[in-house]
Structures are given as structure tokens and as C-alpha cells.
Amino acid sequence: MFSTICFFLFAAICAVSAFALLISKHPINGAMALVLNMLSLAGIYTLVHSTFLGVLQIMVYAGAVMMLIVFVIMVLNGAKDNRLPRMDKLGAYSVLAVLAGALLLVGAIYNVNLQENMTSINGSVAAVSEHLFDTSSRSGALAGVGGGYFILFELTGFILLSAMISAVLLAKRKNSLGKNED
């Protein structure tokens, strides 16, 4: 019963902080709302007995990635009295996409059998890493590459790096265009 109450509390915090991120006018306020969202997700991971993922969520996302995002905001001077518009065309599309995703999530939850099986949750860091970074040869789509999860891990890192570089380049271009007009 207590875990159910905690789950709904963390879920409510997650939803409210995500909404606060959507409507925040200041980039630093949005980053802090995202940190709160990441912390509530770590709480949900801990509730389902996945403490390893909960700790990783806090260390990697709420800690390192958010520090990097705040650092980039500060370096690019994005927090200097720049107010973002409350709602524009992209914001309206984002709200529609979030609602569509929520409908898909509700449909998926409605159609799945959520029976609690405590034996399937047990695991260790060694078991997770062995499965995640398995490079033994197997037959299938990724023959000779194991499960291929390590490729997805590396690909995610590359996508995050390219997004960060793109954001810096776009901000530099915006700043240089503004200086030429003065």
C-alpha cells in the first residue's frame, strides 16, 4: 500500500515538473524542473526494486547531464534576462504530441497485464552489464555482436553529443547575427 502511494506521489511530481518545464519562461527554471523530473523518475525506479537504475538516473541524468545543460546555458548567456514566449506554434505542437503520447500510454496500460512478479526483478550490476555489453556471437539481426545493446548505448551518446554541438553552433550563429545588426 505504501509503495502504491509513493508511486502515485512520484508520478504526480514527474507530471507536474514536466508541465513546469513546458511552461517555464526562463531556461534555468526549465532546467531545474527537469532535474526534479529526473529525481522523481529515480524514485520510481527505486520503487520497482531497481536501485541500480535509480542511482544511475540520479548520477548520470540529474547530476552530470543537467550540470552540462546548465553550464551550456550559462556559457551561451542564455539565462541573461531572456524570456521565452509562453506558447508559440512549436509549443502548441509539443502539447499535442504530449497528449498523443499520453493517449498511447493509457491505451498500452489498459491493454497490458500488470501482475507483480518479484522473482523477475532480482538482478545485479554484473548481470545487467553482462547482458548490456555482451559481444558473443549469436544468430539474428546482429550476428556476431551479441544483443547489440552496447551499440545503442554508444549511439545515444553520439546523438547527445551532436545535439549539444548543434545547440552551441545555433546559439553562436544567433548571437553573431544580433551583433551585426547593432
Side-chain angles (χ1 to χ4, degrees), residues 108-136:
I109 289 174
Y110 181 73
N111 290 325
V112 73
N113 185 9
L114 294 175
Q115 295 297 324
E116 195 170 320
N117 184 1
M118 294 304 288
T119 60
S120 66
I121 296 173
N122 294 334
S124 66
V125 175
V128 170
S129 63
E130 180 181 330
H131 184 68
L132 184 63
F133 298 110
D134 182 21
T135 58
S136 63

Side-chain angles (χ1 to χ4, degrees), residues 8-64:
F8 284 114
L9 179 68
F10 283 133
I13 291 171
C14 186
V16 167
S17 63
F19 185 71
L21 174 63
L22 282 175
I23 64 169
S24 68
K25 287 181 161 183
H26 203 271
I28 296 295
N29 294 341
M32 292 303 113
L34 192 56
V35 167
L36 184 61
N37 192 310
M38 297 297 171
L39 291 175
S40 64
L41 285 176
I44 290 173
Y45 287 143
T46 306
L47 282 176
V48 295
H49 303 286
S50 183
T51 53
F52 176 65
L53 284 179
V55 169
L56 277 181
Q57 180 78 17
I58 291 173
M59 285 176 30
V60 174
Y61 292 109

Side-chain angles (χ1 to χ4, degrees), residues 87-182:
M87 189 62 70
D88 57 351
K89 191 183 223 183
L90 183 62
Y93 289 144
S94 299
V95 169
L96 289 176
V98 166
L99 290 177
L103 279 173
L104 285 172
L105 183 65
V106 166
I109 289 174
Y110 181 73
N111 290 325
V112 73
N113 185 9
L114 294 175
Q115 295 297 324
E116 195 170 320
N117 184 1
M118 294 304 288
T119 60
S120 66
I121 296 173
N122 294 334
S124 66
V125 175
V128 170
S129 63
E130 180 181 330
H131 184 68
L132 184 63
F133 298 110
D134 182 21
T135 58
S136 63
S137 74
R138 297 180 189 171
S139 62
L142 293 171
V145 190
Y149 297 113
F150 69 96
I151 294 174
L152 296 176
F153 183 78
E154 293 294 329
L155 187 63
T156 303
F158 178 72
I159 289 171
L160 287 172
L161 177 65
S162 63
M164 190 67 66
I165 291 171
S166 300
V168 169
L169 289 176
L170 285 173
K172 291 284 185 185
R173 186 175 72 179
K174 180 181 173 186
N175 286 343
S176 67
L177 289 176
K179 289 179 183 176
N180 289 340
E181 292 175 359
D182 290 338

